[in-house]
């Protein structure tokens, strides 16, 4: 149903009263400073979207530095609020020390436009209406900031020029630095024009109306993208990194290290071996088998079977679980610290189901791969509560270590696959029960939790299984509610994806390599940096586009793929004076003031390589080549 937006200048000042249908939604507040003449103009671009242009003219008699702002005061106490990729209803969940609430020591949080997934975006909802305010990305680093300010039963959405981060800068995990405040000098008669967008929406379902903001920001900012290399080259570079830099032989272990780190003199291989999450041994083993099928390379077959055989022979536990880190099998980590987690176990089960099929195509029968995956699924059913909760982690004897977190949904998709392969209804029942439990968390809270295993907070990764499992359940049951839930999870994942490009200055590491934030995804509310983890759901976004007919999901997948190829070394890439190994890539890109501002991490972890190979083996080389057809912009000039 169309709800008309209209506005009228207030009688007592230069502000404007906005209405959504017959309901007052809030006010554009006047900028009050006698040294500036200010005028506002508004244009309805589409249903629910208003372009707001504010013109400031400096009338002072001498040059001076000033702060300018655009404020929209929503007429409600927010029931939920968000700054995309930064705060989700105040980040109250978890044990991290990331920015909490709307204020610190009584001062409102202010965040730079490049810290947010939509440029300077703020969102709130209450009483059936939702407001979002976001700005235009600048063409250089001279930008602006955003803030949500509590105001006695109202909430103010604010954009601020010039750029600031106050009252402190969140500049590393659980760590704060000094506030940042740029200066903007004005000379007499100078005019500054700012443009922003108001997305105003009435809703009946809570925690959904942010879709309007994301859809419009994507429409306006999407543009052609191109991967750094073609798919064949990316496959070759991935094989090179896996074989030449990650391959490890340690005791009876044959497989892949977690990655390489700079030790002060060289890139040193980490002595850490994980089956999923960061290490991705099961997925890399499958890619070795796929490489044999594609090329006939016997070395790839030997390595793939070695890692998969080793883990299923030496890593299984009596209750069906599998050691998530082989470090404990080799006994160089203390046994009392060992836990098995849902993310690694779910990844292991899915890849082992796939491994049995790949091995058979290679002419090798390995029923133990399926048996191991089914053992994990049987363990899941044994610990699942009657409400559907599975849990995050367990001790080796199956005792729960941590029952909390949406991360438990990583074990739902393997249950669906187990049902497909066996026809056992118990697996399907457990999958549906678990999926509904974890989807209720997202629908009720407006966020998901605990998937990024090195943090304990609101994050992106824990929503990935909500997308995957929803699609899987839709495929086997045909129930459209599962498809709708998968799309809801996708909208949440989209709050973590960069809708704009930040033009980094030359002399910064990101500027020097030509890093493009567009399409990348941030990690969590505790870790403010972009990584290529969207690779893990590119296949799912492509499927969602095909099932729903909404090509935006395909566009997002293409942008994520292009972003995830930036910074792959061809063997000649030098960053910060260090030659990077062939096929390697940084895990983290510090898109904001974080650790090494506008720089890159020196952790050349295994998972980006594994996920790129996974996309190529599952989606197919030819399908990925089509990505080079690129995005085309459908935004009109009026909306820019």
């Amino acid at each position: 149903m169309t709800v008309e937006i209209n506005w009228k200048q207030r009688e007592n000042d230069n502000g404007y009263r906005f209405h959504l249908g017959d309901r007052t939604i809030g006010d554009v507040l006047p900028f009050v400073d006698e040294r500036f003449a200010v005028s506002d103009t508004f244009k309805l671009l589409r249903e629910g979207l208003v372009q707001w242009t504010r013109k400031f003219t400096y009338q002072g008699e001498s040059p001076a530095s000033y702060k300018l702002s655009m404020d929209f005061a929503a007429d409600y106490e927010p029931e939920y609020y968000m700054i995309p990729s930064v705060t989700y209803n105040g980040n109250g969940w978890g044990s991290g020390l990331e920015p909490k609430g709307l204020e610190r020591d009584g001062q409102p949080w202010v965040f730079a436009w490049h810290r947010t997934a939509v440029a300077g975006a703020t969102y709130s909802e209450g009483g059936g209406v939702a407001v979002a305010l976001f700005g235009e990305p600048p063409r250089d680093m001279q930008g602006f900031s955003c803030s949500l300010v509590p105001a006695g039963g109202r909430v103010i959405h604010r954009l601020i020029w010039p750029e600031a981060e106050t009252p402190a800068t969140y500049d590393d995990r659980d760590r704060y630095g000094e506030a940042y405040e740029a200066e903007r000098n004005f000379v007499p008669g100078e005019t500054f024009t700012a443009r922003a967008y108001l997305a105003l929406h009435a809703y009946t379902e809570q925690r959904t109306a942010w879709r309007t903001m994301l859809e419009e920001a994507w429409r306006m900012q999407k543009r052609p993208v191109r991967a750094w290399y073609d798919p064949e080259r990316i496959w070759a570079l991935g094989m090179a990194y896996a074989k030449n830099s990650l391959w490890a032989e340690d005791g009876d272990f044959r497989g892949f290290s977690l990655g390489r780190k700079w030790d002060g003199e060289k890139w040193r291989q980490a002595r850490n071996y994980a089956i999923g999450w960061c290490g991705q041994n099961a997925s890399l083993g499958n890619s070795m088998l796929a490489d044999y099928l594609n090329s006939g390379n016997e070395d790839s077959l030997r390595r793939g079977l070695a890692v998969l055989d080793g883990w299923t022979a030496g890593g299984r536990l009596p209750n069906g679980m599998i050691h998530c880190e082989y470090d404990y099998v080799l006994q160089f980590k203390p046994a009392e610290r060992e836990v098995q987690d849902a993310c690694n176990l779910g990844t292991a089960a899915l890849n082992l189901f796939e491994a049995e099929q790949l091995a058979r195509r290679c002419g090798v029968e390995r029923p133990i791969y399926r048996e191991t995956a089914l053992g994990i699924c049987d363990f899941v059913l044994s610990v699942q509560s009657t409400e559907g909760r599975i849990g995050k982690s367990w001790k080796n004897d199956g005792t729960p270590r941590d029952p909390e977190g949406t991360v438990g949904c990583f074990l739902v998709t393997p249950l669906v696959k187990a049902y497909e392969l066996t026809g056992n209804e118990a697996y399907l029942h457990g999958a549906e029960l678990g999926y509904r439990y974890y989807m209720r968390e997202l629908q009720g809270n407006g966020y998901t939790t605990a998937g990024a295993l090195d943090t304990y907070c609101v994050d992106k990764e824990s929503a990935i299984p909500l997308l995957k499992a929803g699609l899987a359940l839709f495929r086997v049951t045909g129930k459209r509610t599962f498809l709708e839930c998968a799309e809801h999870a996708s909208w949440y994942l989209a709050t973590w994806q960069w809708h704009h490009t930040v033009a980094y200055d030359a002399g910064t590491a990101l500027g020097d390599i030509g890093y493009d934030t567009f399409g990348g995804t941030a990690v969590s509310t505790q870790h403010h940096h972009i990584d290529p983890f969207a690779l893990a759901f590119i296949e799912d976004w492509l499927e969602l586009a095909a099932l729903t007919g909404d090509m935006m999901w395909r566009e997002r997948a293409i942008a994520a793929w292009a972003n995830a190829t930036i910074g792959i070394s061809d063997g000649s890439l030098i960053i910060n004076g260090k030659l990077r190994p062939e096929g390697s890539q940084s895990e983290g890109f510090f898109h904001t003031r974080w650790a090494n501002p506008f720089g890159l991490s020196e952790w050349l972890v295994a998972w980006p390589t594994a996920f790129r190979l996974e996309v190529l083996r599952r989606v197919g080389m030819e399908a990925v080549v089509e990505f080079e057809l690129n995005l085309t912009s459908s935004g009109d000039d009026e909306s820019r």
Side-chain angles (χ1 to χ4, degrees):
M1 182 179 67
T2 301
V3 180
E4 182 183 359
I5 298 174
N6 57 78
W7 53 89
K8 185 178 181 180
Q9 189 165 2
R10 302 193 310 192
E11 294 181 359
N12 58 332
D13 57 27
N14 291 324
Y16 288 82
R17 198 84 166 131
F18 271 68
H19 301 268
L20 199 59
D22 58 1
R23 175 174 178 173
T24 301
I25 193 170
D27 294 281
V28 162
L29 302 180
F31 181 78
V32 181
D33 188 325
E34 62 184 14
R35 291 159 297 190
F36 285 87
V38 179
S39 63
D40 290 311
T41 56
F42 307 97
K43 183 176 184 180
L44 183 65
L45 298 178
R46 281 177 287 279
E47 181 184 351
L49 184 69
V50 174
Q51 182 187 81
W52 171 16
T53 303
R54 174 167 280 183
K55 183 178 178 180
F56 301 85
T57 302
Y58 180 52
Q59 300 180 127
E61 296 181 355
S62 59
S65 176
Y66 294 102
K67 289 193 177 299
L68 309 177
S69 65
M70 299 171 76
D71 288 8
F72 185 91
D75 274 351
Y76 50 77
E77 190 84 44
E79 298 166 7
Y80 176 88
Y81 60 89
M82 174 203 298
I83 298 176
S85 82
V86 174
T87 186
Y88 292 79
N89 219 26
N91 296 338
W93 194 95
S95 58
L97 301 180
E98 67 272 23
K100 304 286 188 181
L102 293 176
E103 298 177 309
R104 176 184 171 98
D105 299 329
Q107 298 183 58
W109 282 112
V110 176
F111 299 106
W113 66 281
H114 43 70
R115 194 178 287 265
T116 61
V118 176
T122 55
Y123 169 87
S124 69
E125 63 181 59
V129 295
V131 172
L133 176 66
F134 59 99
E136 281 195 335
R139 298 182 183 275
D140 54 30
M141 289 296 289
Q142 304 303 311
F144 58 98
S145 297
C146 65
S147 184
L148 276 170
V149 184
R154 307 176 94 193
V155 61
I156 297 173
H157 294 247
R158 175 172 292 164
L159 296 179
I160 303 163
W161 287 265
E163 187 178 317
E165 293 208 299
T166 61
T169 300
Y170 188 54
D171 64 3
D172 208 338
R173 174 182 164 171
D174 297 340
R175 191 188 80 179
Y176 293 87
E178 295 295 321
Y180 173 85
E181 295 187 83
E183 288 192 353
R184 172 70 158 83
N185 288 312
F186 290 87
V187 298
E190 181 178 356
T191 295
F192 175 77
T193 301
R195 184 175 292 171
Y197 300 90
L198 281 163
L200 308 174
H201 191 66
Y203 64 86
T204 55
E205 185 180 351
Q206 294 180 321
R207 319 297 189 255
T208 60
W210 63 62
R211 298 178 183 184
T212 300
M213 169 182 67
L214 298 180
E215 189 173 37
E216 295 297 348
W218 187 261
R219 187 202 307 265
M220 288 188 283
Q221 297 299 327
K222 68 178 181 178
R223 55 176 179 67
V225 293
R226 190 175 186 86
W228 264 33
Y229 305 104
D230 62 40
E232 290 78 11
R233 181 67 169 141
I234 289 173
W235 184 271
L237 289 169
M239 284 288 118
Y241 190 56
K243 290 183 177 184
N244 300 333
S245 291
L246 298 177
W247 185 257
E249 299 187 6
D250 188 350
D252 68 355
F253 177 77
R254 300 292 182 272
F256 304 97
S257 163
L258 206 67
R260 285 186 171 267
K261 290 185 177 180
W262 187 257
D263 67 3
E265 296 181 357
K266 63 182 183 301
W267 296 105
R268 176 181 53 82
Q269 188 184 86
R271 194 185 185 207
N272 189 197
Y273 316 118
I275 197 165
W277 200 50
C278 279
Q280 292 294 324
N281 266 248
S283 181
L284 285 168
N286 284 348
S287 289
M288 293 292 147
L289 300 186
D291 189 64
Y292 170 73
L293 291 170
N294 293 336
S295 68
N297 188 317
E298 294 282 349
D299 176 66
S300 297
L301 177 61
R302 284 192 297 269
R303 293 187 197 232
L305 292 174
V307 64
L308 294 162
D309 288 350
W311 223 293
T312 51
R316 298 171 74 184
L317 292 165
N319 54 21
M321 288 194 295
I322 192 169
H323 288 278
C324 296
E325 294 182 74
Y326 215 85
D327 313 27
Y328 294 99
V329 181
L330 298 175
Q331 299 182 344
F332 63 80
K333 282 188 176 179
E336 61 271 16
R337 288 174 47 191
E338 185 174 14
V339 295
Q340 316 308 337
D341 67 88
C343 178
N344 272 290
L345 291 171
T347 301
L350 283 174
N351 276 283
L352 288 170
F353 281 134
E354 183 184 3
E356 186 208 20
Q357 298 168 338
L358 285 168
R360 182 173 295 120
R361 290 173 57 198
C362 293
V364 179
E365 292 297 324
R366 286 293 192 273
I368 192 174
Y369 297 169
R370 181 190 288 204
E371 291 168 12
T372 305
L374 288 174
I376 294 170
C377 293
D378 292 338
F379 173 79
V380 172
L381 295 183
S382 75
V383 297
Q384 186 175 34
S385 73
T386 55
E387 295 82 15
R389 184 173 70 179
I390 296 169
K392 176 180 178 177
S393 59
W394 301 265
K395 299 177 182 178
N396 284 355
D397 63 1
T399 304
R401 170 67 183 277
D402 185 351
E404 303 298 334
T406 324
V407 64
C409 195
F410 271 104
L411 287 161
V412 170
T413 314
L415 292 178
V416 182
K417 188 65 178 178
Y419 167 72
E420 287 185 279
L421 293 172
T422 67
N424 185 338
E425 294 284 344
Y427 294 128
L428 180 60
H429 174 72
E432 293 195 26
L433 192 67
Y435 189 72
R436 291 190 178 100
Y437 178 87
Y438 289 113
M439 181 52 68
R440 282 195 298 270
E441 283 192 356
L442 172 59
Q443 291 169 329
N445 296 333
Y447 53 79
T448 64
T449 59
L453 299 183
D454 55 349
T455 60
Y456 201 66
C457 62
V458 174
D459 65 20
K460 165 194 66 190
E461 291 168 37
S462 52
I464 297 171
L466 291 175
L467 167 60
K468 289 182 177 292
L471 292 173
L473 284 165
F474 176 69
R475 286 194 298 269
V476 300
T477 68
K479 297 177 182 177
R480 192 159 187 85
T481 183
F482 290 124
L483 179 59
E484 292 168 353
C485 286
E487 189 163 27
H488 182 58
S490 279
W491 280 112
Y492 171 73
L493 286 167
T495 70
W496 296 90
Q497 184 175 41
W498 253 245
H499 291 62
H500 57 285
T501 292
V502 180
Y504 293 106
D505 293 335
T508 64
L510 294 184
D512 290 345
I513 69 166
Y515 186 72
D516 188 354
T517 54
F518 178 63
T521 52
V523 179
S524 67
T525 58
Q526 206 174 350
H527 266 176
H528 287 195
H529 60 79
I530 292 177
D531 67 11
F533 218 92
L535 286 163
F537 51 94
I538 282 175
E539 177 186 12
D540 308 290
W541 267 353
L542 294 173
E543 182 179 359
L544 188 63
L547 291 171
T548 63
D550 187 348
M551 289 299 104
M552 179 198 65
W553 299 117
R554 185 175 188 275
E555 294 168 356
R556 289 183 179 274
I558 293 170
W561 173 258
N563 171 271
T565 67
I566 300 172
I568 302 173
S569 175
D570 63 357
S572 66
L573 182 64
I574 298 174
I575 298 177
N576 295 331
K578 304 176 183 79
L579 180 66
R580 297 203 165 194
E582 182 182 21
S584 66
Q585 184 192 36
S586 291
E587 179 184 48
F589 298 84
F590 304 141
H591 65 282
T592 192
R593 293 182 184 86
W594 183 261
N596 174 19
F598 315 128
L600 294 80
S601 76
E602 293 188 339
W603 175 217
L604 310 181
V605 70
W607 66 258
T609 293
F611 284 168
R612 275 190 295 272
L613 294 174
E614 197 169 276
V615 170
L616 291 171
R617 77 170 189 261
R618 291 178 177 174
V619 174
M621 296 277 194
E622 292 183 2
V624 175
V625 167
E626 292 182 9
F627 290 179
E628 297 306 322
L629 296 176
N630 300 329
L631 289 174
T632 56
S633 176
S634 60
D636 53 76
D637 291 338
E638 292 181 334
S639 67
R640 292 184 180 278

